Amino acid sequence: MDERNVRILQAIAELGTGSPDEISNHTDIPKSTVHYRLTKLKEDGIVANDLFDVDLEKLGLEITVISEVIAEYDKQYHEEVGEQLAAIEGVNQVYFTMGDTDFIVIAHLSDREMVHRLISDYEAIDEVVRTSSQFVVETVKDEPHPLNDFELETLVESTVDED
């Protein structure tokens, strides 16, 4: 991996497309270079398919941290605290939940230093009372496209309006 590959992968995520033309325009990397590097990223298994799913472990973001965050209750706190959690570098998902935990936060990081910074960033939010974080030891399932978790018939039955 080098900086150009990272810029290409980030452009795909930002633009929502793997179009060499659009990536080239976005990154100022020549179209032919973008095309060559996309092909190489697929061959190396970093990009998994034509949807440009990225294998985070092969990219070097191999530590998944799942954190429970408890915050002080206040009017609209879920929006304010949720936005602050979402803005932390490395945080990929933030869920406001019911029950004993206010938020579930998922981050993909590369090393212990990043984990330490992440926890420090959580604690820097005034409304955060307590956190509990776990490292993922092994990923059993991580389906980036939830529609793949259903049979076609189930999706049709549950999502199509029968007017």
Side-chain angles (χ1 to χ4, degrees):
M1 287 299 289
D2 65 8
E3 182 181 338
R4 279 188 168 187
N5 284 345
V6 172
R7 288 176 48 215
I8 289 169
L9 292 172
Q10 189 171 40
I12 290 169
E14 287 177 16
L15 298 171
T17 180
S19 163
D21 284 329
E22 290 187 43
I23 294 169
S24 176
N25 289 339
H26 187 75
T27 62
D28 292 326
I29 297 172
K31 179 182 169 183
S32 60
T33 302
V34 169
H35 181 52
Y36 168 78
R37 286 174 176 260
L38 287 174
T39 301
K40 185 78 172 121
L41 287 166
K42 286 180 185 178
E43 288 172 3
D44 292 345
I46 294 170
V47 172
N49 52 37
D50 289 337
L51 298 173
F52 297 96
D53 293 329
V54 174
D55 184 325
L56 296 176
E57 192 170 313
K58 288 184 180 177
L59 183 60
L61 298 173
E62 57 201 35
I63 299 173
T64 301
V65 178
I66 301 173
S67 303
E68 296 178 62
V69 177
I70 289 92
E72 290 179 17
Y73 178 81
D74 196 9
K75 187 176 182 180
Q76 301 300 320
Y77 82 108
H78 65 285
E79 291 176 6
E80 294 168 12
V81 176
E83 288 174 11
Q84 289 178 66
L85 290 167
I88 294 173
E89 185 176 29
V91 167
N92 308 110
Q93 298 165 311
V94 177
Y95 300 98
F96 176 62
T97 61
M98 293 174 46
D100 294 335
T101 300
D102 294 305
F103 299 92
I104 300 292
V105 183
I106 300 174
H108 298 280
L109 309 168
S110 65
D111 56 38
R112 289 178 179 266
E113 186 177 311
M114 287 182 86
V115 174
H116 180 71
R117 183 198 41 81
L118 177 79
I119 303 306
S120 295
D121 288 349
Y122 291 162
E123 293 171 353
I125 298 171
D126 290 336
E127 296 85 355
V128 170
V129 174
R130 184 168 43 92
T131 65
S132 175
S133 297
Q134 295 82 36
F135 287 90
V136 172
V137 175
E138 180 179 343
T139 301
V140 175
K141 180 178 181 179
D142 183 14
E143 173 56 60
H145 306 286
L147 295 181
N148 289 332
D149 292 327
F150 296 93
E151 297 293 329
L152 177 61
E153 295 79 24
T154 304
L155 284 172
V156 169
E157 287 174 13
S158 62
T159 61
V160 173
D161 293 329
E162 302 282 331
D163 290 338

